[in-house]
Amino acid sequence: MEGSNCKPIWPYPQDEWTLLEKFGDSKDIAREYMEIHWDNFLKREDITRLAQAGVTHVRVPIGHWIMGDILDSEPWISGEWKYFERMVGWCREENIEVWPDLHTAPGSQNGFDNSGRQANKPRCDGWDTNMTGATYAGNVLLPKNVWRTLKAVDDISAAIAKGNMTDVVTGFGVLNEPLWTCDKAIVKKFDDLAFDIVRRHMGDDAAVYIDDMFNPWGWNDIWHEEKYENTFMDSHIYQVFEDRLRGLSPYGHVEFTCDSSIQNVDACCYYEDKPSPTMGHFIGEWSAAFDQAVGPKLGYIMNMIRLHGVAPGFDRQIEPKRQEFLANYVKAQMVTYEGDVNVGSARGWFFWTFKMEGGAFAEWNFLRGLEEGWIPKIPDPYTASIDVHGSCRDILAVVTKDMSIVHQDPPPRLTSEQTFVGRSTEKSNRITFSIVVLSIVLGVCSVTFVKMKTKNGYTVLTNNRN
């Protein structure tokens, strides 16, 4: 504020480690600061609104430090567990189930900001390579930070059971987005051990989901034994993190969903070339964002706050033509990510995220989309989206090619001859799996929407993340 000694931190913290590091030895002050977020961002009325929209599950990303495993050299602040418990109570009142998701790991499993500590490039070596203190699990040598991550899974799932929350907390994601460069043998052994830990504490019916390392094709023929019933592979699809995808026309984005994203949906999970008898596949993150990259825009916004005290785009409104496209884009993704109830292992989707501050990133805001009508009301749990909205191709037939609603940010670096038209290729399939870099993980965070398909129909799910 003007005239005060409180100056904005610059460069602005892009992750929770950097933010808390700025408090130095003043951990009590840091905890007071974090309490403001924990206590206020997710509100009771948000859970009510989600329930009224048909949401039946929430996925809650949490940090590995939440139970207090913090080294003296680490700036993490714990204290958010009581807010997780409060949220579980709210969800119990609204008949919503909770699926926590371990979103971070000691040393960082991907180098992204949402791992708690951003690196100078995507990397996994802080988690899977530092062999100081490593010990064997079977024939696989696991680094100390992998064992610490398993301890986090153990501590959290044990606390859920001890707190008598398993009537509401019915699933657990053991680690979000381990990078494609992680040692796959280590990731597989970690997943196996984490599965055993969760089931030991939370019961044999607890849903356990693992991440595909940005490659859903590489996870078939695993976990097919009977004990792995009610397990899932989690994949993430976005069209906003690559120049060539941001530059598509509105028609091109929906066409890409129909032609290319469906191949990601169908990539997993199989056993002996048939749908897995035990493991389903869901799209755990997607959004309505299509033309504006988060990272560069966030840097600009934070700099303007520093210089002028105002966030550009805070009161941003979405023009009617753009809203009309967003509605079709969202419907196309809903239909595609649910897959065919009679074919394959697709079991549904999660929308990222339930709420955003301000309007700069409005296309990530599920509740705003509901209010403005570009996210449709969710069908009842036994109705497929395709039965309400038609097929992806039916939706594509009414989508505009008008480029005036596209506001690509940052501007494209490709020439017009290089611009994609949205056709499916092997390379473009994998581009859709890009990490979202929205903001730091702060314990109980924001919520995303999911619709899960079961043998008896459809179950609507939602997902929490900051």
Side-chain angles (χ1 to χ4, degrees), residues 247-322:
L248 294 176
S249 70
Y251 184 93
H253 279 286
V254 175
E255 184 181 39
F256 192 89
T257 300
C258 299
D259 290 351
S260 183
S261 296
I262 186 60
Q263 297 180 37
N264 295 301
V265 174
D266 291 341
C268 186
C269 300
Y270 301 93
Y271 174 61
E272 296 181 344
D273 297 323
K274 297 179 181 179
S276 171
T278 53
M279 174 175 276
H281 184 209
F282 64 75
I283 304 305
E285 291 182 17
W286 62 279
S287 80
F290 67 99
D291 61 352
Q292 298 185 26
V294 175
K297 189 172 182 178
L298 181 60
Y300 166 74
I301 289 172
M302 296 304 292
N303 193 33
M304 291 300 101
I305 293 173
R306 177 178 70 98
L307 296 175
H308 307 295
V310 176
F314 192 84
D315 297 322
R316 171 176 169 250
Q317 300 299 308
I318 302 175
E319 60 265 34
K321 282 188 177 180
R322 188 176 174 96

Side-chain angles (χ1 to χ4, degrees), residues 399-413:
V399 173
T400 181
K401 298 181 180 180
D402 182 3
M403 289 295 290
S404 70
I405 68 170
V406 178
H407 310 301
Q408 192 172 354
D409 186 8
R413 292 175 296 208

Side-chain angles (χ1 to χ4, degrees), residues 56-102:
T56 64
H57 292 64
V58 291
R59 172 178 171 254
V60 184
I62 52 182
H64 63 271
W65 58 84
I66 192 169
M67 305 308 295
D69 180 15
I70 301 171
L71 303 180
D72 291 341
S73 59
E74 297 173 335
W76 310 120
I77 296 293
S78 63
E80 59 267 58
W81 185 252
K82 67 180 181 181
Y83 297 101
F84 176 83
E85 292 178 306
R86 182 178 71 176
M87 186 212 59
V88 169
W90 291 344
C91 289
R92 181 180 285 114
E93 292 169 358
E94 296 289 352
N95 198 30
I96 291 177
E97 296 179 39
V98 175
W99 284 15
D101 167 65
L102 189 64

Side-chain angles (χ1 to χ4, degrees), residues 58-362:
V58 291
R59 172 178 171 254
V60 184
I62 52 182
H64 63 271
W65 58 84
I66 192 169
M67 305 308 295
D69 180 15
I70 301 171
L71 303 180
D72 291 341
S73 59
E74 297 173 335
W76 310 120
I77 296 293
S78 63
E80 59 267 58
W81 185 252
K82 67 180 181 181
Y83 297 101
F84 176 83
E85 292 178 306
R86 182 178 71 176
M87 186 212 59
V88 169
W90 291 344
C91 289
R92 181 180 285 114
E93 292 169 358
E94 296 289 352
N95 198 30
I96 291 177
E97 296 179 39
V98 175
W99 284 15
D101 167 65
L102 189 64
H103 224 64
T104 75
S108 179
Q109 75 276 23
N110 53 34
F112 301 138
D113 60 351
N114 62 21
S115 73
R117 188 178 189 182
Q118 182 169 316
N120 59 355
K121 64 179 181 179
R123 59 193 307 168
C124 185
D125 54 347
W127 185 72
D128 74 342
T129 304
N130 186 346
M131 291 299 173
T132 302
T135 55
Y136 277 93
N139 61 350
V140 180
L141 185 63
L142 298 185
K144 184 177 180 180
N145 279 337
V146 175
W147 286 112
R148 282 189 70 195
T149 311
L150 287 166
K151 182 179 184 302
V153 174
D154 191 37
D155 290 344
I156 294 166
S157 56
I160 289 167
K162 184 177 179 180
N164 296 316
M165 290 184 270
T166 53
D167 62 317
V168 180
V169 184
T170 59
F172 197 106
V174 298
L175 185 61
N176 180 69
E177 293 178 342
L179 198 64
W180 53 86
T181 61
C182 290
D183 186 318
K184 194 169 183 179
I186 289 177
V187 174
K188 282 187 170 182
K189 177 59 71 172
F190 168 84
D191 288 342
D192 289 344
L193 295 174
F195 169 86
D196 291 338
I197 290 169
V198 172
R199 288 285 175 89
R200 183 172 72 247
H201 291 303
M202 295 176 57
D204 292 339
D205 294 331
V208 180
Y209 57 102
I210 61 178
D211 196 277
D212 68 2
M213 297 174 64
F214 301 90
N215 179 19
W217 291 268
W219 293 89
N220 292 306
D221 296 313
I222 68 165
W223 285 15
H224 52 81
E225 297 89 349
E226 185 177 353
K227 74 172 186 176
Y228 292 111
E229 180 72 33
N230 200 29
T231 59
F232 300 90
M233 183 60 65
D234 177 6
S235 299
H236 303 163
I237 298 180
Y238 293 107
Q239 294 186 33
V240 74
F241 295 106
E242 292 289 331
D243 272 349
R244 63 181 187 172
L245 295 182
R246 286 196 303 275
L248 294 176
S249 70
Y251 184 93
H253 279 286
V254 175
E255 184 181 39
F256 192 89
T257 300
C258 299
D259 290 351
S260 183
S261 296
I262 186 60
Q263 297 180 37
N264 295 301
V265 174
D266 291 341
C268 186
C269 300
Y270 301 93
Y271 174 61
E272 296 181 344
D273 297 323
K274 297 179 181 179
S276 171
T278 53
M279 174 175 276
H281 184 209
F282 64 75
I283 304 305
E285 291 182 17
W286 62 279
S287 80
F290 67 99
D291 61 352
Q292 298 185 26
V294 175
K297 189 172 182 178
L298 181 60
Y300 166 74
I301 289 172
M302 296 304 292
N303 193 33
M304 291 300 101
I305 293 173
R306 177 178 70 98
L307 296 175
H308 307 295
V310 176
F314 192 84
D315 297 322
R316 171 176 169 250
Q317 300 299 308
I318 302 175
E319 60 265 34
K321 282 188 177 180
R322 188 176 174 96
Q323 288 193 33
E324 181 180 356
F325 163 67
L326 290 177
N328 287 319
Y329 184 40
V330 166
K331 291 173 186 176
Q333 291 185 87
M334 288 180 173
V335 168
T336 298
Y337 302 155
E338 287 177 25
D340 187 330
V341 70
N342 299 308
V343 179
S345 298
R347 292 293 181 268
W349 45 263
F350 288 75
F351 183 96
W352 184 296
T353 184
F354 92 112
K355 182 169 70 173
M356 296 294 296
E357 291 182 301
F361 302 108

